[in-house]
Amino acid sequence: MAEQGQGQGQEQTDGGGSSYPHVRVAVIGAGFGGLGAAVRLRREGITDFVVLERGGSVGGTWRDNDYPGCACDVPSHLYSFSFAPNPDWPRTFSGQQHIRAYLEHVADVFRLRPHIRPHCEVKRMSWDAEGLRWEIETSGGRFSADVVVSATGPLSDPRVPDVPGIDSFPGEVFHSARWNHDYDLGGKRVAMVGTGASAIQIVPAIQPEVGRLTLFQRTPPWVLPRVDRDISRAERWLHRQLPFTTQARRGLLWGIRELQVQAFTKRPEQLGLVERMARRNMARAIKDPALRAKLTPDYRIGCKRILLSNTYYPALTRPNVDVVASGLARVEGSTLVAADGSTAEVDAIVFGTGFHVTDMPIADRVVGADGRTLAESWADGGMRALRGASAAGFPNWMTIIGPNTGLGNSSMILMIESQLNYMADFLRQLDVLGGRVALDARADAVDAWNRRVQKRMERTVWNTGGCTSWYLDAHGRNTTIWPGTTTEFRGATRRVDLAEYEVLRVPPPGTGKTRGTTATEATKVEAGA
């Protein structure tokens, strides 16, 4: 009970005389990134912070995505925080309910609840250059903060295509991340639009209960077997009694994936063996040559995310399933028309069409030092941030799972923890500099970092594999994936280099301009000169 006041720091007063809380750090989002940031802040001795969450509970994408069959395609012991190992994962690949329960457990064990503000969706955050703070407007009230850590995540805002005629469809329509559990699919004619990671889990989960299932496939995925099993009681007992065995298991899973990175980033031709495995996996389940032809990709494996399933292909062979090898073009009443002219009469449409990744809606709500939004700042050159964290013109603002921090073959938790290291050092640097101070990433430093990343990206399978994926933005730039190992990224984010930032201080009275210092001057300040 003593901690209920945490995260309520000082108070600010607006022009109308109303007061609102000011905190040192405002974290946006209570998924893996936001909760990880909150834990790290407490471990750094910082308790003056809030976690602003638009939903009613923690969990992020693992709260919102509760569709039938939802599970993770990264092994459980690797898809968890290193500082919060879970010896009781029930399966090698855990389901949504177990991952969400894990995040609830993290919130409890690390005493994060007093900091979390549910139903506080950020509507707008603006940089106050005179006060060197962020003014934040949310659906649950107003806040201000010295530092903002944006952890909204790229898989949080569903992307639903603007299909002509969809508004006149008389049946039920929803996205996989907004599943309508009140609608009974039993016996219904259902269209599944999309063939991504969500769709290949949904299809086998709902196929037995629907009357007819029509899959609209614009691009077939490469699918490998999912080596999933129950984790035995003996294994879990061992992990509880000897915690180092959990860490050893995690380390082995991590090491295997680190060794695979080179094939994705430098020598895509080495993925040929993996592609042959995927073809054999398909051949074992799909005996019909015509169906197999529909399901065979025409791009190099790895270009789009490799999917894991033992049930997807068998479900497509069932008598009540039709595969349309074309995207959905338009809707005419209850008739769905594909781009190739194929039609299907359906009662419900489920969109498994992904998320706003390269055009994250939060970017429209962040207003920087020059009055432009983050989206406007990124409009020409695409998403870019120094070391995946800091954007030029947005002082004391950092993002978790920012541009070019995604992975194509390993656990994002590894990248999140690296960014938490960077966040912690960022805050330490502010303390060392002292007083009312802010750090703004230098535009030339951001550009130099982005050039290095994009240069390395040129050889990767994601850029050369011959596919169009959600990794690429509207201009074909890969602004999502990290073109290296997680070890390299951890090294790159171990500490903040002040030479890459401009140091801002409160302006002298009457000037109206924020005073900046060069890296050399900042170093003198740090040294007490």
Side-chain angles (χ1 to χ4, degrees):
M1 294 296 292
E3 290 188 85
Q4 287 185 350
Q6 290 182 357
Q8 295 288 3
Q10 311 165 20
E11 287 196 341
Q12 299 293 324
T13 303
D14 62 20
S18 300
S19 61
Y20 53 95
H22 175 83
V23 293
R24 185 177 183 199
V25 182
V27 179
I28 316 301
F32 263 104
L35 293 181
V39 171
R40 187 58 183 267
L41 289 171
R42 287 189 62 96
R43 296 178 76 178
E44 293 289 320
I46 299 171
T47 58
D48 184 19
F49 70 90
V50 292
V51 179
L52 304 176
E53 168 54 48
R54 70 181 177 184
S57 60
V58 304
T61 191
W62 295 105
R63 176 199 60 225
D64 296 340
N65 286 269
D66 60 354
Y67 56 79
C70 183
C72 188
D73 59 1
V74 175
S76 304
H77 288 89
L78 193 59
Y79 199 77
S80 47
F81 292 119
S82 63
F83 53 78
N86 179 14
D88 288 311
W89 287 116
R91 297 189 66 81
T92 51
F93 291 88
S94 289
Q96 173 265 342
Q97 70 274 25
H98 299 115
I99 298 173
R100 183 178 179 183
Y102 169 76
L103 290 172
E104 295 279 1
H105 179 70
V106 168
D108 289 332
V109 168
F110 290 93
R111 298 181 295 171
L112 304 181
R113 303 284 184 190
H115 300 277
I116 298 171
R117 303 292 179 266
H119 304 297
C120 280
E121 180 178 7
V122 171
K123 300 299 184 181
R124 182 182 177 88
M125 62 176 83
S126 305
W127 177 247
D128 175 1
E130 291 191 11
L132 292 188
R133 61 174 174 259
W134 285 94
E135 297 290 343
I136 308 168
E137 300 171 21
T138 82
S139 57
R142 188 172 176 181
F143 298 82
S144 66
D146 296 333
V147 178
V148 167
V149 178
S150 181
T152 57
L155 306 183
S156 57
D157 291 282
R159 178 187 290 277
V160 177
D162 186 16
V163 180
I166 191 69
D167 292 338
S168 64
F169 180 69
E172 189 70 21
V173 180
F174 52 86
H175 190 277
S176 60
R178 300 293 185 268
W179 195 270
N180 184 358
H181 291 279
D182 294 328
Y183 183 76
D184 183 10
L185 293 177
K188 299 293 198 309
R189 300 168 299 177
V190 180
M192 180 75 234
V193 181
T195 53
S198 299
I200 74 158
Q201 295 177 345
I202 293 170
V203 166
I206 68 173
Q207 175 271 319
E209 63 176 290
V210 304
R212 187 146 210 93
L213 178 61
T214 303
L215 176 67
F216 285 82
Q217 170 194 270
R218 186 175 60 179
T219 308
W222 285 108
V223 183
L224 289 173
R226 183 184 179 91
V227 187
D228 191 18
R229 63 173 179 82
D230 290 329
I231 297 177
S232 68
R233 285 187 177 183
E235 289 174 277
R236 284 182 275 170
W237 178 88
L238 181 65
H239 292 329
R240 284 193 300 271
Q241 298 303 312
L242 300 173
F244 75 86
T245 62
T246 306
Q247 296 297 336
R249 186 171 191 159
R250 176 187 173 88
L252 178 62
L253 293 168
W254 165 78
I256 292 171
R257 281 156 181 76
E258 288 289 271
L259 293 174
Q260 296 171 347
V261 171
Q262 183 171 261
F264 287 85
T265 59
K266 295 180 179 179
R267 296 183 174 85
E269 67 278 1
Q270 293 181 351
L271 292 167
L273 174 61
V274 182
E275 185 171 312
R276 289 193 291 274
M277 292 171 57
R279 289 182 183 275
R280 285 197 295 269
N281 180 50
M282 185 191 306
R284 282 193 294 267
I286 308 295
K287 304 303 181 184
D288 178 5
L291 179 57
R292 195 184 306 164
K294 288 183 179 180
L295 299 175
T296 301
D298 61 359
Y299 56 87
R300 176 171 283 164
I301 194 168
C303 183
K304 295 168 74 77
R305 189 174 181 94
I306 301 172
L307 306 182
L308 306 178
S309 178
N310 300 325
T311 56
Y312 177 64
Y313 285 147
L316 298 183
T317 67
R318 300 296 185 260
N320 67 333
V321 177
D322 295 315
V323 177
V324 177
S326 183
L328 178 60
R330 64 183 186 276
V331 177
E332 300 175 351
S334 60
T335 302
L336 272 58
V337 183
D340 65 357
S342 303
T343 61
E345 293 284 327
V346 301
D347 304 304
I349 303 172
V350 179
F351 283 104
T353 45
F355 299 84
H356 289 277
V357 176
T358 60
D359 58 343
M360 295 186 292
I362 190 66
D364 289 309
R365 307 179 186 188
V366 184
V367 182
D370 62 358
R372 292 193 303 166
T373 66
L374 187 61
E376 290 170 336
S377 175
W378 284 345
D380 295 330
M383 296 194 308
R384 55 198 181 279
L386 177 62
R387 303 183 188 276
S390 302
F394 297 82
N396 280 9
W397 182 92
M398 308 186 72
T399 181
I400 305 296
I401 316 183
N404 290 114
T405 62
L407 296 175
N409 74 313
S410 192
S411 172
M412 277 306 303
I413 312 306
L414 301 168
M415 302 296 277
I416 288 172
E417 291 195 27
S418 292
Q419 292 199 284
L420 298 183
N421 291 338
Y422 196 73
M423 175 198 76
D425 196 52
F426 189 98
L427 292 166
R428 291 190 206 108
Q429 295 295 337
L430 292 178
D431 284 343
V432 169
L433 291 167
R436 297 289 298 166
V437 64
L439 291 175
D440 187 8
R442 301 177 67 90
D444 57 350
V446 175
D447 290 343
W449 171 262
N450 190 58
R451 283 195 301 271
R452 291 197 298 272
V453 170
Q454 294 304 322
K455 181 64 177 177
R456 294 184 62 179
M457 196 71 71
E458 292 175 359
R459 298 172 57 186
T460 69
V461 68
W462 308 300
N463 279 34
T464 64
C467 73
T468 300
S469 73
W470 58 266
Y471 300 150
L472 309 179
D473 66 14
H475 300 284
R477 293 176 294 237
N478 192 326
T479 58
T480 58
I481 297 295
W482 168 245
T485 65
T486 62
T487 302
E488 290 176 288
F489 188 75
R490 175 150 296 200
T493 53
R494 193 172 301 280
R495 60 182 58 88
V496 169
D497 180 359
L498 279 180
E500 296 180 328
Y501 287 86
E502 182 178 6
V503 180
L504 307 179
R505 294 193 177 277
V506 175
T511 65
K513 294 183 179 181
T514 304
R515 185 169 47 132
T517 61
T518 65
T520 301
E521 292 171 320
T523 304
K524 290 180 180 179
V525 172
E526 183 180 5

